[in-house]
Amino acid sequence: MTLSIETEQHPLKDWVPETRTLLVGGAEVQPEGESWDVFNPATEAVIGTVAGASSRQVDDAVAAARTAFPAWAALSGEERSRHIHRLADVLEAAADRLLPSIINEVGTPIALAEYLQVKMAVDEHLRWAAEAAKQERIQHLGGYDKPHPTMSDVVHQPVGVVAAITGYNYPLNLAVFKFGAALAAGCTVVLLPSPRTPLTTLFMGDLIREAGLPDGVMNVIIGGADVGQQLSSHPGVDKVSFTGSDGVGAKIMAQAAVNLTDVTLELGGKSPTLVLPGVDVQQIAVEMHLRWARNGGQGCAALARILVHDALYDEFLEAGASAFDQMVVGDPWDRATNVGPMIRPDHQARVRGFIDGSVAEGGRKLLEVKKPLPEKGWFVNPVLLGGLPHSARAVQEEIFGPVAVIVPFKDTDEAIRLANDTPYGLAANVWCGEDLAEGRRVAEQIRAGTVWINGGGAMRPDAPFGGYGRSGVGRELGEWGVQEYLEAKHIQWRV
């Protein structure tokens, strides 16, 4: 089935989910924790009030997942695959509601959200996970004759109960990346979204019930830092998977360490894009700028650290200037818009602080959007900063907004050194033109979990995603992502 969303005049433009109940053990549960407002970042309007789980309800969700685990793990891969495909069917049928839910609580422009926020998650990644559930993962090691003849197999068994904690910027995608692989492996899940964007995830609780997953296999709760801490340090949780900032990731890792619980962490990035000598910058400059600015720059793999060869620097700036004329900041429901709002006013202030601080340090705004911003909404006009040393804060730290920095380099060895000169290593891109051999040589020297050459392509569901250094621990997606939720067991017998 191919997911289809009618958006030319979306009939549910103002729709937000009405679901305010948690999903625990297959039942709708009224939350007992503290309440808070959820905002539309493009209008600043309150679009819902939600309440989080109490401490007891966190325990109940983990207990429900623990109770459901033996039966779910015992199902054949084919049976789990059918359940996951059924869930994908239900999500596809709800696409006309998932889309406005995400746009109205995240602010992603509709022209981007259709694919990046909905279709990619369901049509590609969740379907891939459903098929991955069928895979046979026994490895036959063969014979070994010391001190006497034996044979060995390695079997892979589900780790158990998974705490899946997601970031605000891609609420459906990030959830699917985690629970798709976990369910395929035979694990059960407690899903906890960012408190900034809980509505889509609560709505998913309804869809999970509609899909008929066995009770307790998927549980949905919401809450703030206290709920996150209780879940990540819970003795009934066997694996924690988290997407968010490296600062919070470090806290999650410490909390999980109390029980020596394994973690997968997909964290921040300061991803470079290298423009090597001989590249036709007239062909690539506009595309590069439009890419880092999408979703308001709120993407962990945004290629917002631009390294350009000295000889191409001035031409690159001139060639890319028209991109800022094409950047439209404003109403996410306007198809002309390609840069949406920051998620909250505190984050808007943080992003602006990077811009103002860079100028105060001697940096310059080389290119920027100067059109007036909407009166309402937490928007920031995109800007390209230059004149900063590579040690500057804006060059080294993840901004998570529509702000890029450009740094010249003298030769390719220096470009590689600069590319690797941050604490992060999530993604990178190498522009090399027709010299693919040189692009491949450079790509292999960059310490990042994903390296594109000449722009690469879409995020493949069968390829690993994750990073080096402060960009995380472990991998999501592909067989590598499924393996994060499996334990390897060696079985050896005498011949």
Side-chain angles (χ1 to χ4, degrees):
M1 181 185 297
T2 300
L3 185 150
S4 176
I5 307 171
E6 177 57 50
T7 54
E8 195 60 41
Q9 190 64 43
H10 201 287
L12 299 175
K13 175 180 175 181
D14 298 321
W15 187 83
V16 293
E18 296 180 359
T19 308
R20 299 294 182 266
T21 53
L22 313 178
L23 176 64
V24 177
E28 294 180 274
V29 175
Q30 292 295 331
E32 300 171 346
E34 295 182 357
S35 62
W36 67 94
D37 291 333
V38 181
F39 295 88
N40 181 328
T43 66
E44 304 180 27
V46 175
I47 56 175
T49 300
V50 298
S54 66
S55 177
R56 180 185 66 80
Q57 289 175 321
V58 175
D59 288 341
D60 288 347
V62 174
R66 175 64 58 197
T67 299
F69 172 64
W72 180 254
L75 291 179
S76 69
E78 290 282 351
E79 291 172 308
R80 286 200 297 272
S81 178
R82 283 194 291 272
H83 276 293
I84 300 170
H85 273 303
R86 169 60 183 157
L87 177 56
D89 290 341
V90 172
L91 292 174
E92 283 183 343
D96 62 335
R97 289 168 290 164
L98 286 167
L99 181 70
S101 176
I102 294 170
I103 292 174
N104 290 328
E105 73 170 343
V106 179
T108 304
I110 186 172
L112 299 171
E114 289 171 308
Y115 174 71
L116 288 178
Q117 292 279 18
V118 181
K119 290 185 179 182
M120 183 175 74
V122 180
D123 276 354
E124 298 177 21
H125 290 273
L126 189 55
R127 294 292 188 193
W128 188 93
E131 291 300 304
K134 302 176 184 178
Q135 184 170 326
E136 175 60 69
R137 292 183 172 85
I138 295 177
Q139 293 177 264
H140 304 289
L141 299 186
Y144 190 73
D145 61 359
K146 296 179 179 64
H148 41 254
T150 62
M151 298 287 285
S152 287
D153 284 346
V154 176
V155 298
H156 296 83
Q157 298 179 326
V159 67
V161 174
V162 173
I165 307 173
T166 62
Y168 73 80
N169 52 333
Y170 289 96
L172 178 57
N173 264 311
L174 298 179
V176 165
F177 291 175
K178 298 179 188 307
F179 75 68
L183 295 181
C187 297
T188 54
V189 177
V190 179
L191 177 61
L192 174 67
S194 165
R196 292 174 168 178
T197 54
L199 299 180
T200 300
T201 305
L202 288 175
F203 177 46
M204 271 199 290
D206 289 346
L207 301 178
I208 290 164
R209 291 179 67 244
E210 182 181 337
L213 278 177
D215 293 349
V217 169
M218 280 284 295
N219 304 272
V220 177
I221 61 174
I222 63 172
D226 56 335
V227 171
Q229 180 173 355
Q230 183 180 350
L231 186 60
S232 59
S233 61
H234 202 290
V237 168
D238 301 295
K239 175 83 177 191
V240 179
S241 179
F242 169 75
T243 297
S245 70
D246 54 310
V248 177
K251 293 178 181 178
I252 294 282
M253 195 173 192
Q255 291 159 11
V258 171
N259 300 305
L260 296 180
T261 303
D262 192 21
V263 296
T264 297
L265 304 175
E266 199 275 281
L267 307 176
K270 194 65 182 178
S271 300
T273 185
L274 288 65
V275 183
L276 300 185
V279 170
D280 183 356
V281 295
Q282 299 291 335
Q283 298 294 319
I284 66 168
V286 170
E287 175 190 339
M288 285 173 60
H289 291 312
L290 294 176
R291 182 169 177 175
W292 58 254
R294 71 187 184 189
N295 207 35
Q298 296 167 109
C300 54
L303 298 164
R305 186 164 54 105
I306 304 172
L307 309 177
V308 181
H309 190 265
D310 273 339
L312 299 173
Y313 187 84
D314 292 338
E315 184 184 359
F316 175 83
L317 289 177
E318 182 180 352
S322 65
F324 289 77
D325 297 327
Q326 297 176 39
M327 293 178 186
V328 179
V329 182
D331 179 8
W333 284 100
D334 185 339
R335 283 199 165 274
T337 299
N338 52 21
V339 180
M342 303 297 94
I343 192 66
R344 290 291 183 272
D346 60 329
H347 187 55
Q348 177 195 45
R350 179 180 181 275
V351 173
R352 287 178 172 171
F354 272 98
I355 298 171
D356 296 340
S358 296
V359 172
E361 293 171 6
R364 302 186 306 279
K365 297 180 182 180
L366 300 178
L367 296 170
E368 62 179 317
V369 174
K370 295 184 178 181
K371 298 171 188 173
L373 292 171
E375 292 184 4
K376 288 285 188 179
W378 299 306
F379 296 95
V380 174
N381 268 330
V383 61
L384 175 67
L385 299 172
L388 293 166
H390 203 262
S391 59
R393 179 168 171 255
V395 183
Q396 289 290 319
E397 296 183 22
E398 182 178 46
I399 299 175
F400 221 61
V403 181
V405 293
I406 185 169
V407 177
F409 62 84
K410 292 181 173 58
D411 54 42
T412 301
D413 287 343
E414 184 185 22
I416 295 169
R417 180 182 64 78
L418 292 175
N420 292 331
D421 186 23
T422 74
Y424 299 101
L426 185 59
N429 179 76
V430 179
W431 290 102
C432 62
E434 296 181 1
D435 193 353
L436 292 177
E438 175 66 356
R440 179 61 180 260
R441 183 189 75 83
V442 173
E444 291 188 358
Q445 295 185 66
I446 295 175
R447 292 182 57 78
T450 298
V451 183
W452 297 287
I453 297 175
N454 289 339
M459 181 178 282
R460 293 179 57 146
D462 59 345
F465 185 75
Y468 293 36
R470 294 191 69 88
S471 286
V473 176
R475 294 293 183 269
E476 292 192 306
L477 306 182
E479 179 61 20
W480 299 266
V482 176
Q483 290 292 332
E484 294 284 333
Y485 301 103
L486 294 169
E487 294 279 13
K489 177 186 290 185
H490 176 209
I491 299 176
Q492 185 177 26
W493 65 96
R494 291 192 183 189
V495 177

